[in-house]
Amino acid sequence: MIATSRRRFLAGAAAVTAAGFVPTRFAIGNQAPVKVGLMLPYTGVYAQLGENITSGLTMSLVGHGNRLGGRPIEYVKVDDESNPAKGVDNATKLVKGKEVDFVVGTVHSGVAMAMTKVMAKSPKAIMLCPNAGANALTREACLPNVFRTSFSNWQTGYSMGPVIAQRGHKRVVTLTWNYAAGQEMVSAFLDGFKAAGGGEPAEQLWVDFPDSEFQPVLTRIAALKPDAVFAFFSGSAAVKFLKDYDAAIDRTQIPLYGTGFLTEGVLAAVGKAAEGIVTTMHWAETLKSSENILFMGDFRKVAGRVADVFAVQGWDTGTLLYRAMDAVKGDTGATQAIIKAMEDAEVTGPRGVWRMSRNHNPIQDFYLRRVEKGQNLVEGVAVAQLEDPGTGCKM
Ligand code: PHB
């Protein structure tokens, strides 16, 4: 196995040299590692998301011999702190300073958009976004060397619109953090809600990111008595939000809905306060496919915890990486061929089947899920093979 990939790599390296590029290999048995930058939150409200993306990614690559196109892998980690103000500096450190071949990042939409400024000036490096849903990343700010393996914020919000409308809820309050992810999910939800006959929002409520002081907005919801609430919070703040909502609001009177992040990676900590919550998401831990069952078991063995959607996105980022690097036999200089392999990707994995859109964003199913006994149970498919419109992307 190793011998075969070495032979393939040697053939690739020779071609690269002949074409006049710097050889990526110094001597037999001494291959230069492929440098993979991990620009993710390892502290703060999204720390657990960063950890699970990292575990999913490394698990995927270890499963492929811990090599990319036959070459060893060197990871360079940066904690981006979910801080957009530091985004350009952190990405520059990795792409220019450390000269990484690939940069995997990140979770927060604002930080991801800062990263694209660096990627626009570094067309030889490739960015794989394993979470952040900023619509612009694969719309007006799309780039040939930027791919997303997760979702656009529009996809996650839009898929919830018909669900709430069809349940007959008319007066719906939206509640989220006041930054790109929350704003875009709410706006997309309202689009989907209106398209399904749902009408105008009763009120839009906002909390500053990354605050988790929810009493003022919960008091407002209790006073408004809407038919339902649509919310987005994530990470450690979602744990507190679900507990606070349950304590302050009678959920049989004012049910809570949201994008699936609300109930990802938090159910064990939240307990009963999450039971019955309905969300949409491009994955669920209870999907019965053999790929998902295998993934859940392996992740528990390797990471010692239950997988969540962030782990899945890390895993699929690994899938894209090793496939593209196999396609070029480890030649990181073959940027166009790497891009082509990623564009052609059709992945059958834990979330089901998805493929890369023209704008470099997954086209995928959004499942309807309800929390029961501490798990997101799948009730069906809310929207099949949903594609972000990609408006304004020219490439
Ligand atoms: C985002 O900022 O795009 C974001 C962050 C956390 C999530 C989902 C989206 O769970």
Side-chain angles (χ1 to χ4, degrees), residues 46 49 106-112 131-134 148 151 153 156 177 179-182 184-185 209 232-235 259-262 264 281 309-310 313:
Y46 288 155
L49 285 64
T106 185
V107 167
H108 183 289
S109 276
V111 181
N131 185 73
R148 180 151 53 197
F151 55 86
N153 290 326
T156 64
W177 275 313
Y179 84 98
E184 291 175 354
M185 286 181 204
F209 178 85
F232 160 70
F233 292 104
S234 186
T259 51
F261 310 109
L262 208 51
E264 278 301 315
M281 181 98 295
V309 75
F310 310 108
Q313 291 166 178

Side-chain angles (χ1 to χ4, degrees), residues 22 212 361:
V22 179
S212 54
N361 187 64

Side-chain angles (χ1 to χ4, degrees), residues 36-73:
V36 178
L38 300 177
M39 180 166 158
L40 290 163
Y42 293 109
T43 54
V45 68
Y46 288 155
Q48 190 60 42
L49 285 64
E51 291 296 349
N52 275 2
I53 289 167
T54 305
S55 298
L57 171 78
T58 50
M59 185 175 110
S60 165
L61 295 183
V62 166
H64 284 84
N66 215 15
R67 296 198 154 232
L68 285 171
R71 293 167 58 188
I73 307 166

Side-chain angles (χ1 to χ4, degrees), residues 99-355:
E99 297 185 321
V100 297
D101 302 296
F102 298 94
V103 53
V104 174
T106 185
V107 167
H108 183 289
S109 276
V111 181
M113 290 314 296
M115 293 174 76
T116 63
K117 293 186 184 145
V118 179
M119 300 316 293
K121 293 186 205 140
S122 317
K124 290 216 163 296
I126 291 177
M127 168 175 163
L128 288 163
C129 176
N131 185 73
N135 291 338
L137 192 86
T138 54
R139 292 189 185 177
E140 60 272 23
C142 73
L143 289 167
N145 58 334
V146 173
F147 288 85
R148 180 151 53 197
T149 56
S150 50
F151 55 86
S152 73
N153 290 326
W154 179 87
Q155 284 175 306
T156 64
Y158 188 84
S159 55
M160 201 62 209
V163 173
I164 299 188
Q166 279 153 20
R167 285 170 187 235
H169 301 307
K170 299 268 180 260
R171 293 180 60 248
V172 179
V173 163
T174 66
L175 167 60
T176 184
W177 275 313
N178 198 4
Y179 84 98
Q183 292 157 1
E184 291 175 354
M185 286 181 204
V186 162
S187 147
F189 160 67
L190 292 173
D191 284 352
F193 187 56
K194 273 184 225 157
E200 294 298 318
E203 195 156 306
Q204 291 177 259
L205 300 174
W206 306 96
V207 174
D208 287 338
F209 178 85
D211 292 356
S212 54
E213 177 47 62
F214 301 115
Q215 286 317 317
V217 284
L218 292 174
T219 303
R220 182 69 188 146
I221 288 169
L224 284 167
K225 297 192 178 55
D227 296 338
V229 170
F230 167 86
F232 160 70
F233 292 104
S234 186
S236 55
V239 176
K240 181 161 186 298
F241 174 69
L242 294 180
K243 286 184 177 172
D244 287 1
Y245 191 99
D246 190 59
I249 308 281
D250 179 352
R251 291 197 290 125
T252 62
Q253 297 302 308
I254 312 176
L256 176 62
Y257 297 87
T259 51
F261 310 109
L262 208 51
T263 59
E264 278 301 315
V266 301
L267 292 179
V270 175
K272 283 199 168 29
E275 289 290 299
I277 294 177
V278 171
T279 62
T280 50
M281 181 98 295
H282 48 287
W283 175 78
E285 67 272 41
T286 52
L287 281 172
K288 298 248 179 318
S289 66
S290 54
E291 289 84 4
N292 194 44
I293 290 166
L294 199 66
F295 169 77
M296 292 295 297
D298 284 353
F299 192 85
R300 185 184 270 286
K301 256 185 253 152
V302 170
R305 50 188 190 271
V306 179
D308 58 15
V309 75
F310 310 108
V312 172
Q313 291 166 178
W315 166 271
D316 277 348
T317 302
T319 306
L320 224 58
L321 265 174
Y322 73 72
R323 282 199 193 170
M325 286 298 285
D326 269 0
V328 297
K329 303 182 175 68
D331 176 9
T332 38
T335 313
Q336 287 317 314
I338 293 173
I339 289 175
K340 173 88 170 70
M342 291 188 174
E343 285 179 336
D344 289 347
E346 179 164 317
V347 177
T348 304
R351 69 179 98 171
V353 182
W354 65 273
R355 65 195 162 85

